[in-house]
């Protein structure tokens, strides 16, 4: 922050800005490539994988202080992505070891997962944002796709194509369908794109390429964290977006990647 002293009146004035990452309660089950959605104090983490290609269908719910067990996924998988809130969420696609991409879609009501209409094609590690009844899933593997899919709670339709094909990108998870944001991805990218409900528009680039990272926030107030900065380099770097430009934010306390996020720019969660 900054402090000013008025020598005439003898008064002090200050502008103090405080932002930092803090350690929270650990997940019950250690794993990576989980799906996350919700807010910092009401979030869902589901699926994922551990050492030796162990796959999980576990769901955990976070209340701002600790994790509790939720309902199991119907399809065990890693690398799926989700949108919505704890009591009304949806997850899409993923990867089933050793070689299968998934088109399975499930909705969560706060206790139970229900299998619903599958995506038109199998996909893994997409960008995601929106609500259970109005969400967007963009890019993904195999092939670092440019295609996007919109979900209305029942049906899937094609959305506008990305300018840059990518997978493993970050996304502003609390953004609505009509004001979305994704960034980075594989191949290692600095590209940012915004969505208006119909088409994608290129935005200002990230300071450095990132992939396999987490994201939080909205189109005009987003946070990128928990990334690879290269094929094998995990970073502590955090950057924030104001709707126009990316700037550095306080670093993570420990290097992390393949970790999704939830929440807002000022109240984010990484697990």
């Amino acid at each position: 922050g900054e402090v000013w002293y008025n020598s005439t009146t003898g008064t002090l004035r200050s502008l103090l800005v405080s932002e930092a990452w803090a350690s929270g309660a650990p997940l019950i089950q250690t794993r990576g490539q989980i799906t996350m959605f919700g807010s910092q104090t009401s979030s869902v983490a589901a699926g994922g994988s551990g050492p030796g290609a162990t796959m999980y269908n576990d769901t955990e719910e976070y209340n701002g202080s600790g994790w509790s067990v939720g309902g199991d996924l119907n399809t065990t998988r890693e690398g799926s992505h989700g949108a919505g809130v704890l009591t009304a969420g949806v997850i899409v696609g993923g990867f089933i070891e050793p070689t299968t991409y998934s088109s399975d879609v499930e909705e969560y009501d706060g206790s139970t997962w229900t299998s619903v209409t599958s995506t038109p094609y199998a996909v893994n590690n997409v960008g995601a944002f929106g609500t259970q009844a109005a969400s967007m899933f963009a890019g993904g593997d195999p092939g670092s796709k440019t295609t996007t899919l919109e979900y209305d709670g029942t049906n899937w339709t094609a959305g506008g194509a990305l300018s840059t094909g990518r997978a493993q990108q970050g996304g502003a998870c609390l953004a609505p369908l009509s004001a979305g944001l994704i960034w980075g991805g594989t191949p290692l990218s600095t590209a940012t794109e915004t969505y208006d409900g119909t088409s994608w528009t290129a935005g200002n680039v990230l300071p450095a390429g990132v992939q396999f990272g987490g994201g939080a926030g909205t189109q005009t107030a987003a946070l990128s964290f928990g990334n690879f900065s290269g094929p094998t380099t995990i970073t502590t770097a955090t950057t924030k977006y104001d709707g126009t430009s990316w700037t550095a934010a306080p670093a993570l306390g420990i290097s992390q990647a393949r970790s999704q996020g939830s929440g807002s720019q000022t109240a984010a969660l990484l697990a």
Side-chain angles (χ1 to χ4, degrees):
E2 297 179 347
V3 179
W4 297 269
Y5 175 66
N6 187 320
S7 59
T8 301
T9 63
T11 57
L12 293 170
R13 292 183 181 275
S14 64
L15 173 64
L16 301 178
V17 179
S18 176
E19 53 181 1
W21 289 96
S23 296
L27 288 162
I28 298 168
Q29 175 62 60
T30 302
R31 48 189 154 152
Q33 299 210 73
I34 58 176
T35 303
M36 289 185 68
F37 56 83
S39 69
Q40 188 190 66
T41 58
S42 181
S43 209
V44 172
S49 60
T54 302
M55 305 287 291
Y56 297 101
N57 65 355
D58 308 50
T59 296
E60 298 182 36
E61 299 177 3
Y62 189 67
N63 64 5
S65 59
W67 296 90
S68 59
V69 176
D72 288 345
L73 288 167
N74 294 302
T75 301
T76 301
R77 49 185 147 164
E78 64 183 10
S80 54
H81 279 240
V85 296
L86 188 149
T87 56
V90 57
I91 67 167
V92 171
F95 190 74
I96 303 169
E97 297 285 354
T99 60
T100 303
Y101 291 93
S102 177
S103 61
D104 293 332
V105 179
E106 299 186 41
E107 293 182 351
Y108 194 60
D109 63 5
S111 59
T112 304
W113 291 97
T114 301
S115 296
V116 293
T117 307
S118 297
T119 52
Y121 50 82
V123 67
N124 177 46
N125 282 319
V126 298
F129 53 83
T131 66
Q132 186 186 77
S135 51
M136 162 64 76
F137 299 87
D141 279 328
S144 295
K145 298 180 184 299
T146 59
T147 51
T148 60
L149 294 170
E150 295 182 8
Y151 183 62
D152 65 4
T154 305
N155 302 305
W156 291 95
T157 57
L162 290 165
S163 303
T164 303
R166 61 182 98 188
Q168 294 96 34
Q169 65 267 50
C173 55
L174 295 182
L177 179 64
S178 59
L181 176 71
I182 64 170
W183 59 84
T186 304
L188 186 65
S189 176
T190 60
T192 299
E193 297 190 45
T194 60
Y195 194 65
D196 64 5
T198 303
S199 59
W200 292 94
T201 302
N204 286 336
V205 298
L206 290 152
V210 295
Q211 58 189 358
F212 281 109
T218 65
Q219 190 183 80
T220 57
L223 205 61
S224 173
F225 46 80
N227 295 287
F228 277 102
S229 59
T232 60
T233 304
I234 303 173
T235 178
T236 61
T238 302
T239 52
K240 58 184 179 181
Y241 189 65
D242 62 5
T244 303
S245 302
W246 292 93
T247 55
L252 293 167
I254 184 173
S255 298
Q256 294 196 58
R258 299 183 185 272
S259 304
Q260 292 188 35
S262 59
S264 67
Q265 187 187 73
T266 57
L269 178 66
L270 167 65

